[in-house]
Amino acid sequence: MTASTERFVAWVRGAAPYIHAFRGRTFVLAFGGEVAAGARAQSLAYDCNLLAALGIRLVLVHGARPQIEAELARRGLEPRYHNGLRVTDGEALECVKAAMAVTRLEVEALLSQGLPNTPMAGSYMRVTGGNFITARPVGVVDGVDYQYTGAVRKIIAEEINADLDQQNVVLISPMGVSPAGEIFNLSMEEVAEAVAVAVKAEKLIYLCDAPGLLDADQRLIDSVTADEAERMFNAGEGLTEDLDLYLPCAIRAVRGGVSRVHLIDHDKDGGLLLEFFTHAGVGTVVSRDPLFRLRDATFEDVGALGALISPMEADGTLVRRGRELLEQEIDRFSVVEHDGVLVGCAALYPFSDERAAELACLAVTPAYRRAGLGDQLLRRIEQRARTQRFERLFVLTTRTAHWFRERGFSEIGPEALPQKKRELYNYQRRSKVFVKQL
């Protein structure tokens, strides 16, 4: 098997849990008019086709800001904004309707083509739409009358879900109608937020002008809670034009019941696939609670636990454990999972007669070794040891001596191990022994 073949097989196996988890779930994908008319539009259509083929229920919400600007310019009209929101008078509304209609047709054409000679040859997507949005006027704000600029009053979720149940892809333009029959121009990001909350979407995705949220050193922040994102927004940290619009919607969406909101670079080819079907992802995930969850292992974790530690057993980092032994000792393990996938573990073995315990099998999958999961697992094991009134925690290691030294462990000789452990010490392996007083 060639190296490229091995990488492909590893990728498919790694993606399998996500494919299983996402089948039948609803994703709402929001993108601006620059994406619909950009160089990546065709690739985006391919990827949406693939997501639908995998059984994901797709709702697409498109914008048309640059198309509206172009239509205004063509008619010799000046765009008007107040606090970042378009003021839509009667003439501007005609431009909005024209631009939205053309953009929607272009997006439908991309999604509905037979896709000959493409990665999705032979597939077909049924694209539907409808009057799913009831709107109301924004009204007068700071003395400015927004006229035909509106806000979402209600999303008719049952109609959207009925279309999704028929395996259709739902395409929504950000326009709404009032009960009186007036047409209103809505913001794409707020429509996407409202739709995602109404249909109880698993994910809301914004394609934006940045890789995601960046820290002070311009490094990508993989995940952030709604509270952390709100603090960053209020401080104006790392906000681009798109993020300034999308981040408040993302925060409200997760607080409104959407499981995850993803901020992905619209210029990243294959960004949707990389974000959803690889461990590391490529954007920022906003969630109500932290994505990483520490808990005690259960019998159902045995298979995933074996898959996690087997590469480190193969290279000699960990002592080999068979499935039968894992089943017998599963109650000794703590695990950390990310989006339902097991990405780290550690075990606590007691030596009660000597008031000591062993930290063993501390492992984190490579993609998450910079996420601080090792420290979280160590703190959990230390807490479990203290709860059981152990006085010392020791560990045997061949590869990570410096890591334990940095966390308060001191090196000792094998002769200082508890007697039962000392009798099992493998002098051929020559593991270094460290201890930490609790």
Side-chain angles (χ1 to χ4, degrees):
M1 186 181 292
T2 65
S4 61
T5 303
E6 289 178 352
R7 287 194 297 270
F8 171 75
V9 171
W11 181 87
V12 172
R13 288 172 176 166
Y18 300 105
I19 295 172
H20 174 73
F22 296 154
R23 185 180 296 114
R25 302 299 178 91
T26 301
F27 290 11
V28 177
L29 172 62
F31 52 92
E34 68 280 359
V35 177
R40 299 290 186 196
Q42 186 68 77
S43 296
L44 178 62
Y46 294 161
D47 293 347
C48 289
N49 203 301
L50 177 57
L51 293 176
L54 291 173
I56 293 170
R57 295 152 56 98
L58 278 182
V59 180
L60 309 181
V61 182
H62 74 85
R65 178 172 289 196
Q67 291 85 346
I68 295 170
E69 299 293 307
E71 185 65 21
L72 286 167
R74 190 182 71 81
R75 301 188 189 195
L77 302 173
E78 288 292 327
R80 292 176 57 206
Y81 289 90
H82 180 68
N83 291 335
L85 188 61
R86 185 186 300 278
V87 177
T88 311
D89 59 18
E91 290 182 311
L93 181 62
E94 294 305 311
C95 296
V96 169
K97 290 192 288 186
M100 287 289 185
V102 170
T103 304
R104 181 185 178 88
L105 285 172
E106 290 175 345
V107 173
E108 280 191 1
L110 285 170
L111 295 170
S112 304
Q113 60 185 303
L115 305 179
N117 301 317
T118 73
M120 292 301 295
S123 65
Y124 175 73
M125 292 175 68
R126 293 191 301 272
V127 182
T128 64
N131 56 336
F132 303 126
I133 306 172
T134 302
R136 59 175 177 80
V138 170
V140 179
V141 180
D142 299 330
V144 176
D145 187 353
Y146 280 92
Q147 301 183 59
Y148 294 103
T149 298
V152 175
R153 182 193 298 268
K154 181 182 179 182
I155 299 294
I156 306 175
E158 56 269 24
E159 294 298 327
I160 297 175
N161 283 321
D163 273 4
L164 294 172
D165 289 342
Q166 297 299 315
Q167 298 182 341
N168 297 320
V169 172
V170 176
L171 178 62
I172 296 177
S173 300
M175 298 188 73
V177 180
S178 75
E182 294 178 297
I183 298 173
F184 289 100
N185 174 32
L186 310 176
S187 71
M188 174 273 292
E189 57 273 11
E190 291 186 3
V191 168
E193 172 203 339
V195 169
V197 171
V199 301
K200 298 179 173 58
E202 177 74 16
K203 294 183 183 295
L204 167 60
I205 307 104
Y206 287 111
L207 300 184
C208 57
D209 60 357
L213 290 173
L214 305 178
D215 64 16
D217 297 321
Q218 298 301 298
R219 294 175 301 191
L220 179 67
I221 300 173
D222 296 329
S223 62
V224 64
T225 65
D227 291 344
E228 293 165 343
E230 186 173 45
R231 181 195 61 76
M232 293 183 67
F233 179 78
N234 291 336
E237 296 177 7
L239 298 180
T240 62
E241 181 180 0
D242 282 355
L243 291 175
D244 190 50
L245 296 172
Y246 300 165
L247 193 55
C249 296
I251 294 166
R252 290 194 298 266
V254 297
R255 287 174 175 168
V258 177
S259 296
R260 305 280 188 269
V261 178
H262 298 256
L263 305 170
I264 303 175
D265 188 349
H266 58 51
D267 288 329
K268 182 72 172 179
D269 189 23
L272 293 176
L273 306 183
L274 292 169
E275 177 71 356
F276 300 142
F277 301 114
T278 64
H279 286 313
V282 293
T284 297
V285 183
V286 183
S287 60
R288 187 178 61 182
D289 302 311
L291 285 186
F292 295 105
R293 178 186 171 215
L294 270 77
R295 58 174 176 81
D296 293 338
T298 67
F299 187 79
E300 287 74 20
D301 296 316
V302 169
L305 193 58
L308 171 68
I309 66 177
S310 61
M312 285 165 271
E313 292 175 340
D315 68 14
T317 302
L318 297 176
V319 175
R320 190 173 297 276
R321 290 171 172 81
R323 182 183 178 93
E324 184 178 351
L325 184 59
L326 284 176
E327 291 176 353
Q328 293 172 358
E329 299 180 344
I330 193 65
D331 61 329
R332 302 190 188 282
F333 280 82
S334 294
V335 297
V336 57
E337 58 183 10
H338 177 269
D339 250 354
V341 177
L342 210 66
V343 296
C345 68
L348 180 70
Y349 289 85
F351 293 87
S352 302
D353 292 344
E354 300 184 48
R355 312 306 307 160
E358 179 188 6
L359 163 63
C361 203
L362 176 59
V364 176
T365 193
Y368 293 98
R369 286 178 183 166
R370 295 187 177 182
L373 301 185
D375 288 295
Q376 293 183 43
L377 286 163
L378 174 59
R379 286 195 293 270
R380 185 178 182 88
I381 292 297
E382 288 179 352
Q383 184 57 46
R384 287 182 63 180
R386 290 189 181 97
T387 300
Q388 297 177 45
R389 301 187 181 280
F390 294 121
E391 298 173 356
R392 294 184 300 150
L393 183 68
F394 64 89
V395 62
L396 280 68
T397 180
T398 58
R399 305 285 182 89
T400 55
H402 66 285
W403 191 88
F404 287 104
R405 284 195 186 99
E406 292 168 359
R407 285 152 182 82
F409 284 79
S410 302
E411 187 171 0
I412 58 174
E415 65 281 356
L417 289 169
Q419 181 179 349
K420 291 183 179 179
K421 185 65 181 179
R422 186 167 65 247
E423 292 171 354
L424 298 173
Y425 182 80
N426 187 338
Y427 282 91
Q428 291 183 328
R429 185 174 169 82
R430 298 182 62 188
S431 299
K432 292 188 175 183
V433 183
F434 290 85
V435 68
K436 185 175 185 179
Q437 299 298 323
L438 300 175

